């Protein structure tokens, strides 16, 4: 099996955590719109309670993302297992809910599990890992296991599986709504909530079949296992492969430098301009993702579409189609991210999304629900689909792919954790405010998303550096030595891993001695040789 395919398969399995996140995001719109759910839980203060049910999940994600910053000792796989267990408890409480407080607690606990997964996956993917603690851990894991030339593709798998989860959620939710609406049967919302539990059990049961992140192993005094894992990922297990040795030495050099300094805390994200600059970019990427308007549409589509006179049943069907469009958009992102780059996708994506909200705000203003204008309905639907397609090509996948690659090993988990917390703060706010704002100010609520998308596009044009094709170990060089104002920058990385690998290959061809290796792994003092190359 080609190493790139092996890394892709590992990243895909790790991304099951993101499937859970996408499923939970997609299913809640049908749950809060179902007749039986409203009868049981939303008889009074309906807007406030519906907002709380939605926002407690992302509030829990915030807690999980914060906690993920302290799970480094567990490893990426151990964190994912813990997150799965937490998520299952929350899913059971939601499914069995008989009072709204059980829903609140279940959503909060499930959110904590997803928060852990979010941070971990980013690390596993870099390496070639996984829900919100898991959803956070997954992109980290993915980033740490993948080759730099396909890292964007593998980290974007998180969003692809998020979209796949939404497809399952929306079509299952639509089927349950059509089957049981008007019957006052709780299966209308309990079945959709219950279906999220088996994938979490499956992921937790098999997570230890994945390789541990090589960067995590090297960072925890397991260099021999680290190079063996690198060899499995990049050279069919050949620890003497020149690229593996060059990559290993580069990792060891960065870790040696980081270990020479004191241990890192969240405060280090704000100490020194290079780290503070990265933190600002990560927070902006995550906040702008939520303020693009996507969460409002995902959570409260029936209420939003009702503003222009579209029924709940039709809305749920349209959202099911929308989920398929999201999946296709993410697939396009995976195909182009490592050639087009991160920077242009963010700039043009937010610009186009602002235009779709301008059009829809005008349609709602000119053609309110009482107008019953079919042309306006299809115009609104089309712009929503265009928005979703563009979002999942650009901001959606990049909101996890980019933060996972900006920080060094010592700060990566905390940096991604801080970004995830930012995401969930804004996500929680949108979930709580949207139903109230739709009722109170209608189409004017869209102005917020129009302004945010336009200003975000301008910010990324000015301050977001391009990271495609760079090694994770190049990021310190990038943020220490490149200009803050990006347009016109002539910065180039100082490391040259391909040429380093060629030097090592030439050395081996001319007779590397056995003294160059200890127990099948390159000597750690060769790190200095690579640093001087």
């Amino acid at each position: 099996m080609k190493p790139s395919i092996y890394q892709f398969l590992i990243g895909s399995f790790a991304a099951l955590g993101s499937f859970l996140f996408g499923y939970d995001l997609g299913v809640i719109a049908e749950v809060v719109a179902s007749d039986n759910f409203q009868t049981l839980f939303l008889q009074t203060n309906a807007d406030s309670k519906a907002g709380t049910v939605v926002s407690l999940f992302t509030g829990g994600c915030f807690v999980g993302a914060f906690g993920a910053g302290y799970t480094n000792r567990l490893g990426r796989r151990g964190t994912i297992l813990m997150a799965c267990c937490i998520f299952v408890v929350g899913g059971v409480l939601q499914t069995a809910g008989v009072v709204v407080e059980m829903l609140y607690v279940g959503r909060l606990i499930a959110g904590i599990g997803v928060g852990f997964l979010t941070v971990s996956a980013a690390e596993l993917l870099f390496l070639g890992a996984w829900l919100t603690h898991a959803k956070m851990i997954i992109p980290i894991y993915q980033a740490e296991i993948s080759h730099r030339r396909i890292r964007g593709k593998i980290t974007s798998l998180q969003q692809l599986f998020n979209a796949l989860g939404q497809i399952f959620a929306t079509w299952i939710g639509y089927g349950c709504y059509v089957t049981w609406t008007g019957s006052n049967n709780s299966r209308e919302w309990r079945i959709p909530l219950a279906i999220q539990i088996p994938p979490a059990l499956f992921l937790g049961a098999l997570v230890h079949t994945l390789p541990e992140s090589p960067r995590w192993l090297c960072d925890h005094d397991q260099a021999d296992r680290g190079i063996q894992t690198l060899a499995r990922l990049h050279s069919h297990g050949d620890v003497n492969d020149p690229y593996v040795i060059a990559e290993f030495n580069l990792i060891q050099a960065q870790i040696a430098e980081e270990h020479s300094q004191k241990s890192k805390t969240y405060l280090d994200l704000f100490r020194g301009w290079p780290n503070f600059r990265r933190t600002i970019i990560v927070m902006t990427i995550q906040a702008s993702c939520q303020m693009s308007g996507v969460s409002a549409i995902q959570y409260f589509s029936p209420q939003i579409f009702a503003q222009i006179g579209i029924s709940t049943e039709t809305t749920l069907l349209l959202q099911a189609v929308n989920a398929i469009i999201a999946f296709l958009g993410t697939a396009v992102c995976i195909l182009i991210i490592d050639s087009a780059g991160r920077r242009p996708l963010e700039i043009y994506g937010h610009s186009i999304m602002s235009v779709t909200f301008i059009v829809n705000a005008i349609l709602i203003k000119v053609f309110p629900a009482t107008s019953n204008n079919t042309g306006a309905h299809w115009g609104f639907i089309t712009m929503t689909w265009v928005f979703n397609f563009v979002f999942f090509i650009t901001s959606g996948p990049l909101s996890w792919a980019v933060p996972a690659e900006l920080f060094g090993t010592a700060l990566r988990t905390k940096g991604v954790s801080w970004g995830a917390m930012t995401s969930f703060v804004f996500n929680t706010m949108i979930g709580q405010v949207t139903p109230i704002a739709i009722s109170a100010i209608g189409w004017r609520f869209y102005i917020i998303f129009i302004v945010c998308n336009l200003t975000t596009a301008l910010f990324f044009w000015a301050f977001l550096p391009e990271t495609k094709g760079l090694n994770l170990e190049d990021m310190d060089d990038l943020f220490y030595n490149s200009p803050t104002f990006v347009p016109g920058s002539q910065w180039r990385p100082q490391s040259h891993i391909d040429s380093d690998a060629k030097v090592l290959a030439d050395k081996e061809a001319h007779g590397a001695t056995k003294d160059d290796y200890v127990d099948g792994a390159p000597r750690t003092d060769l790190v200095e040789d690579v640093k001087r190359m």
Side-chain angles (χ1 to χ4, degrees), residues 7 10-11 14 76 119-130 136-158 211-216 229-230 233-234 243 247 251 254 337-338 342 397-398 400-409 412-413 416 467-475:
Q7 294 166 33
I10 292 172
R76 314 312 187 209
V119 177
S120 300
E123 292 200 5
L124 266 187
L125 196 52
F126 260 30
L127 192 350
W130 186 94
M136 188 184 81
I137 290 296
I138 291 166
I140 293 174
Y141 174 71
Q142 292 170 322
E144 290 182 344
I145 62 166
S146 56
H147 192 287
R148 72 186 190 281
R149 289 175 179 161
I150 61 170
R151 188 175 63 238
K153 289 180 171 61
I154 295 180
T155 48
S156 296
L157 287 171
Q158 166 135 323
E212 184 54 89
S213 159
R215 285 171 174 83
W216 184 88
T229 302
L230 277 175
L233 291 167
H234 297 296
Y243 179 87
E247 176 86 354
I251 293 170
Q254 184 188 49
I337 184 173
D338 287 312
R342 286 66 158 155
L398 293 178
W400 299 109
V402 175
E405 63 188 7
L406 295 188
F407 293 92
T409 302
R412 186 169 298 128
T413 300
V416 176
T467 56
K468 73 170 182 177
L470 299 179
N471 291 299
L472 296 183
E473 288 69 31
D474 290 327
M475 298 304 169

Side-chain angles (χ1 to χ4, degrees), residues 342-376:
R342 286 66 158 155
R343 178 178 159 82
L345 290 178
E346 286 280 26
I347 295 169
Y348 291 114
H350 281 280
S351 300
I352 295 171
M353 286 188 286
S354 70
V355 173
T356 64
F357 269 106
I358 290 172
V359 174
N360 274 355
I362 293 171
L363 287 173
I364 295 174
K365 166 66 174 174
V366 177
F367 302 100
T370 55
S371 68
N372 198 29
N373 186 297
T374 303

Side-chain angles (χ1 to χ4, degrees), residues 11-25 57 80 87 114 117-118 121 129-132 134-136 138-139 142 155-166 199 203 330 392 396 400:
S12 296
F13 184 77
L16 272 177
S18 194
F19 175 91
L20 298 180
F21 187 57
Y23 186 91
D24 215 301
L25 291 177
F57 176 73
I80 291 172
F87 182 85
V114 168
L117 286 173
T118 302
W130 186 94
L131 241 323
T132 294
K135 190 177 187 303
M136 188 184 81
I138 291 166
Q142 292 170 322
T155 48
S156 296
L157 287 171
Q158 166 135 323
Q159 195 65 50
L160 184 73
F161 276 75
N162 182 299
L164 186 63
Q166 291 185 45
L203 177 61
T330 309
F392 280 93
W400 299 109

Side-chain angles (χ1 to χ4, degrees), residues 51 195 200 281 303 330 373 384 455:
I195 288 175
I281 290 173
Q303 295 92 320
T330 309
N373 186 297
T384 302
T455 54

Side-chain angles (χ1 to χ4, degrees), residues 386-402:
V386 169
F387 166 86
N388 212 44
F389 186 65
V390 172
F391 174 85
F392 280 93
I393 293 176
T394 59
S395 182
L398 293 178
S399 67
W400 299 109
V402 175

Side-chain angles (χ1 to χ4, degrees), residues 187-211:
R187 284 182 290 182
E188 182 181 357
W189 57 273
R190 293 191 195 275
I191 289 177
L193 288 176
I195 288 175
Q196 66 190 319
I197 298 173
L201 293 172
F202 180 71
L203 177 61
L206 297 181
V207 67
H208 279 283
T209 63
L210 300 178

Side-chain angles (χ1 to χ4, degrees), residues 65-355:
F66 178 78
Y70 296 97
T71 61
N72 201 33
R73 292 184 180 181
L74 294 177
R76 314 312 187 209
R77 298 181 303 177
T79 300
I80 291 172
L81 175 59
M82 179 185 70
C84 290
C85 295
I86 294 172
F87 182 85
V88 167
V89 173
V92 169
L93 283 173
Q94 291 178 71
T95 304
V98 292
V99 293
V100 74
E101 288 76 14
M102 286 184 69
L103 269 296
Y104 290 163
V105 174
R107 295 285 291 173
L108 180 67
I109 293 175
I112 292 172
V114 168
F116 277 109
L117 286 173
T118 302
V119 177
S120 300
E123 292 200 5
L124 266 187
L125 196 52
F126 260 30
L127 192 350
W130 186 94
L131 241 323
T132 294
H133 185 56
K135 190 177 187 303
M136 188 184 81
I137 290 296
I138 291 166
I140 293 174
Y141 174 71
Q142 292 170 322
E144 290 182 344
I145 62 166
S146 56
H147 192 287
R148 72 186 190 281
R149 289 175 179 161
I150 61 170
R151 188 175 63 238
K153 289 180 171 61
I154 295 180
T155 48
S156 296
L157 287 171
Q158 166 135 323
Q159 195 65 50
L160 184 73
F161 276 75
N162 182 299
L164 186 63
Q166 291 185 45
I167 289 176
F168 275 80
T170 51
W171 283 102
I172 289 170
Y174 175 70
C176 290
Y177 183 88
V178 171
T179 302
W180 286 295
T181 188
S183 66
N184 199 31
N185 192 319
S186 66
R187 284 182 290 182
E188 182 181 357
W189 57 273
R190 293 191 195 275
I191 289 177
L193 288 176
I195 288 175
Q196 66 190 319
I197 298 173
L201 293 172
F202 180 71
L203 177 61
L206 297 181
V207 67
H208 279 283
T209 63
L210 300 178
E212 184 54 89
S213 159
R215 285 171 174 83
W216 184 88
L217 290 169
C218 291
D219 192 36
H220 289 76
D221 301 321
Q222 300 181 59
D224 54 342
R225 289 183 60 199
I227 192 170
Q228 290 166 11
T229 302
L230 277 175
R232 287 173 59 194
L233 291 167
H234 297 296
S235 63
H236 302 100
D238 181 8
V239 296
N240 299 326
D241 179 82
Y243 179 87
V244 170
I245 296 173
E247 176 86 354
F248 175 78
N249 288 343
L250 198 60
I251 293 170
Q252 287 287 77
Q254 184 188 49
I255 290 174
E257 182 178 353
E258 290 173 348
H259 283 187
S260 68
Q261 306 168 12
K262 63 181 182 180
S263 61
K264 301 296 184 180
T265 68
Y266 276 109
L267 291 177
D268 288 296
L269 296 173
F270 304 93
R271 289 190 177 121
W273 177 243
N275 283 341
F276 189 38
R277 178 185 170 193
R278 282 182 267 203
T279 303
I280 291 173
I281 290 173
V282 166
M283 292 177 69
T284 302
I285 287 173
Q286 291 287 17
S288 66
C289 179
Q290 301 305 322
M291 296 309 295
S292 68
V294 67
S295 293
I297 294 173
Q298 286 176 327
Y299 295 155
F300 299 103
S301 50
Q303 295 92 320
I304 290 174
F305 278 62
Q307 292 177 102
I308 201 166
I310 300 174
S311 69
T312 296
E313 181 175 335
T314 302
T315 296
L316 292 174
L317 175 60
L318 295 174
Q319 279 298 91
V321 175
N322 211 18
I324 296 175
I325 293 172
F327 181 84
L328 295 175
T330 309
V332 172
C333 177
I334 290 174
L335 292 175
I336 68 175
I337 184 173
D338 287 312
S339 55
R342 286 66 158 155
R343 178 178 159 82
L345 290 178
E346 286 280 26
I347 295 169
Y348 291 114
H350 281 280
S351 300
I352 295 171
M353 286 188 286
S354 70
V355 173

